[in-house]
Amino acid sequence: VYPGPATTLDPAFLSNQGIGAVVVTGAALDAARTSPALQLISEESDYRVFLVRDPTAIITAEGTDTAEIAIDNQRYSATVSEPATTFQVRRNWFPRWTATVDGHPAEIVKDENGFMTVRSDQPGTHVELVYGVDGWDWLGRVLLLIGTASAAAALLQPRRVERFLRLNPGEI
């Protein structure tokens, strides 16, 4: 359900947000059916699924076409047809991302939509973003593992199970 279907399902909004498909129900269904940007692909009982007819690539550079995009775990890369200094990445900004343009370090800034914009001093055709896991991430994972193991060990002590069975013999 969309609070403003006419603006949310507008081709310009879908393109700016990098949306490739929408699930629609309720009052927004009429707006989706009449939108030239959407193509109905599934009619389930309570909702409809629409594909965006001409979706915008996840990574783009103004004035050039995106030729190739690769998305792997913690890594995005794209090659564009003409050299550019600014690349729009339609994924949420987070401080642990780093970027390079043609192998040279580039700046990542958060844009007005909360996405990432990569800026380079030198024009390039290949942009790569890598999410870096740092020491705080590993510390958090280790502490979570220790805490989970400690809780499991405390709950599975034979004496506790034995005591529970003596106090509550009819509950098992």
Side-chain angles (χ1 to χ4, degrees):
V1 177
Y2 298 90
T7 55
T8 307
L9 300 174
D10 176 70
F13 179 81
L14 296 170
S15 175
N16 187 41
Q17 299 296 312
I19 297 172
V22 292
V23 177
V24 182
T25 186
L29 194 53
D30 289 336
R33 282 195 169 128
T34 59
S35 173
L38 300 177
Q39 174 186 349
L40 179 66
I41 62 164
S42 175
E43 293 196 55
E44 297 297 323
S45 59
D46 294 334
Y47 60 90
R48 308 293 184 268
V49 179
F50 292 84
L51 282 181
V52 175
R53 291 185 195 274
D54 189 20
T56 302
I58 293 169
I59 302 173
T60 57
E62 191 172 333
T64 184
D65 295 325
T66 304
E68 179 183 326
I69 294 178
I71 298 175
D72 295 320
N73 189 21
Q74 300 179 345
R75 182 180 303 269
Y76 301 150
S77 66
T79 302
V80 295
S81 60
E82 299 291 326
T85 57
T86 303
F87 297 85
Q88 173 70 42
V89 182
R90 288 169 183 81
R91 289 293 186 254
N92 291 336
W93 176 88
F94 194 76
R96 292 195 182 122
W97 285 100
T98 59
T100 59
V101 174
D102 286 349
H104 302 287
E107 175 187 27
I108 300 176
V109 295
K110 182 178 179 181
D111 70 14
E112 67 275 359
N113 294 315
F115 296 145
M116 295 182 280
T117 298
V118 177
R119 295 185 182 149
S120 173
D121 294 335
Q122 302 174 1
T125 58
H126 183 77
V127 62
E128 185 167 20
L129 289 93
V130 177
Y131 182 83
V133 179
D134 64 9
W136 291 108
D137 292 315
W138 287 110
L139 177 63
R141 292 172 183 177
V142 167
L143 291 175
L144 178 65
L145 182 63
I146 291 170
T148 303
S150 299
L155 292 173
L156 296 176
Q157 286 183 0
R159 280 183 257 143
R160 288 181 186 262
V161 173
E162 190 178 296
R163 188 173 63 212
F164 176 80
L165 291 175
R166 273 186 299 192
L167 296 175
N168 306 302
E171 290 188 23
I172 295 185

